[in-house]
Amino acid sequence: MRGKFLRSAMSASDLTAQQIFLSTVSDDFEKPGAPFPGLRSRLRFYLNRAQGQKAVAQEEFPQVQASTVQKLDDLLRPCRTVLHLVGGNPGAVPPSAEVLTYLNAHPGFLQNHPALLADLRDFSGVSYTQWEAFMALHYGRDLFIYASPHASAQQAHLDRLKLASPTKYASPFKDEADLLGQLIGDLHTQLPALADVVRPVIAPSRILRHAPAILFGRETELAALDDLWQHRTGVNVYSLIAWGGAGKTSVVAWWVATRMAAKQWPGVERYFDWSFYSQGAREQSQNSADFFIASALAFFDDPDPQKGSPWERGERLARLVRQHRTLLVLDGI
């Protein structure tokens, strides 16, 4: 058994004008060991519960590509609101050639904020996450800035932002509860009423019929699945590996049946499962993989499940899965 991360990029075509952009540095607000581990993910989850809203953030695409600053622009530009959390780490800085390419493509960048533009000069030393705040100002988006207890390390950046009179400037917060309280007050006019109940969307199951009436001797595996689902300690993909006939399908089907289906799917927004077995024999054909991708894309509301190469369709599926708290079970992969 092993766990690993699943990452994917999100394109601007998936966004709407109602979205909120979360501008953060992972080393401060996401990674294990950060001052606020997992905060960005949890903010995104709770903001997504607001009807008609969707929260997005910089994805884990490589920051060595020449188009990274432009990709941030594509992500942020359609958003209405930007929440810029400032901690002790500015984050990675783009190469000067990448910055020059972007500025040449946007010749009027920040011309409505001459004092800020003069202070920035050639934008040298500006990190990717700092660029997000300047893009918000350039496009006239509502920019809310919040400063963690470590934000003094970026005081020069905060001073620059003040020159442009953002919607809210560098409000300090001491812990997550303090930040969430401020967000409730700041965003109440922009967020519609929060959904009282997240109603799960459940696909017809292909594995629940394999759940045994009684399961013995699998307490360790069941406890591990319980813990990962309830606490999500950084693990997004969990692999159950054993010899053929050891009962992997029975364990997972039992867990889904007793922990999820029998309890009205606690914490699940989307559920989809798939079996790559047929009448006891494993299907290895390309058609089987294509059928799975097409069926999953259709369930997750992809507008054209047949469009694109297998790689592109797989990326779209990963992106769609990440937009909800999804339980995706793949049996016999």
Side-chain angles (χ1 to χ4, degrees), residues 46-51 184 191-197:
Y46 289 117
L47 288 170
N48 281 340
R49 295 188 62 184
Q51 298 172 2
I184 291 171
L191 295 177
L194 293 178
D196 294 329
V197 178

Side-chain angles (χ1 to χ4, degrees), residues 145-165:
I145 305 169
Y146 303 90
S148 84
H150 312 286
S152 59
Q154 293 197 69
Q155 191 59 50
H157 173 59
L158 294 174
D159 291 342
R160 283 174 168 174
L161 292 174
K162 191 174 184 179
L163 295 173
S165 301

Side-chain angles (χ1 to χ4, degrees), residues 232-258:
R232 291 202 301 170
T233 54
V235 178
N236 294 331
V237 178
Y238 185 75
S239 300
L240 187 62
I241 300 172
W243 296 108
K248 301 181 295 296
T249 300
S250 295
V251 169
V252 176
W254 170 270
W255 183 79
V256 172
T258 60

Side-chain angles (χ1 to χ4, degrees), residues 48-270:
N48 281 340
R49 295 188 62 184
Q51 298 172 2
Q53 296 285 337
K54 186 178 293 182
V56 297
Q58 176 184 340
E59 297 296 329
E60 299 295 335
F61 49 77
Q63 293 184 339
V64 297
Q65 298 182 13
S67 60
T68 301
V69 174
Q70 183 59 54
K71 285 184 178 182
L72 291 178
D73 184 292
D74 293 338
L75 278 173
L76 186 146
R77 186 174 63 255
C79 296
R80 166 181 155 184
T81 304
V82 175
L83 305 180
H84 186 56
L85 275 58
V86 180
N89 298 296
V93 175
S96 57
E98 180 181 338
V99 171
L100 181 61
T101 299
Y102 176 81
L103 292 176
N104 286 337
H106 301 268
F109 190 77
L110 284 180
Q111 285 187 356
N112 290 333
H113 302 281
L116 174 59
L117 186 59
D119 191 70
L120 285 166
R121 299 179 184 176
D122 62 355
F123 290 82
S124 61
V126 175
S127 72
Y128 287 105
T129 303
Q130 292 170 349
W131 269 100
E132 294 166 355
F134 299 136
M135 289 173 183
L137 294 169
H138 172 67
Y139 289 115
R141 303 300 184 249
D142 290 328
L143 176 62
F144 294 84
I145 305 169
Y146 303 90
S148 84
H150 312 286
S152 59
Q154 293 197 69
Q155 191 59 50
H157 173 59
L158 294 174
D159 291 342
R160 283 174 168 174
L161 292 174
K162 191 174 184 179
L163 295 173
S165 301
T167 309
K168 182 168 185 176
Y169 171 72
S171 179
F173 65 94
K174 59 184 180 180
D175 53 33
E176 295 182 5
D178 190 13
L179 173 63
L180 292 174
Q182 292 191 48
L183 289 175
I184 291 171
D186 293 339
L187 300 181
H188 75 279
T189 60
Q190 301 189 26
L191 295 177
L194 293 178
D196 294 329
V197 178
V198 176
R199 294 177 175 83
V201 178
I202 311 299
S205 176
R206 294 169 176 82
I207 69 165
L208 284 181
R209 60 190 177 91
H210 297 297
I214 302 175
L215 185 70
F216 294 102
R218 294 292 184 264
E219 290 78 10
T220 300
E221 290 80 5
L222 294 172
L225 289 167
D226 288 340
D227 182 67
L228 288 169
W229 178 254
Q230 292 169 12
H231 302 108
R232 291 202 301 170
T233 54
V235 178
N236 294 331
V237 178
Y238 185 75
S239 300
L240 187 62
I241 300 172
W243 296 108
K248 301 181 295 296
T249 300
S250 295
V251 169
V252 176
W254 170 270
W255 183 79
V256 172
T258 60
R259 269 51 167 193
M260 297 293 156
K263 298 181 179 180
Q264 302 301 310
W265 305 95
V268 177
E269 294 183 17
R270 296 288 189 276

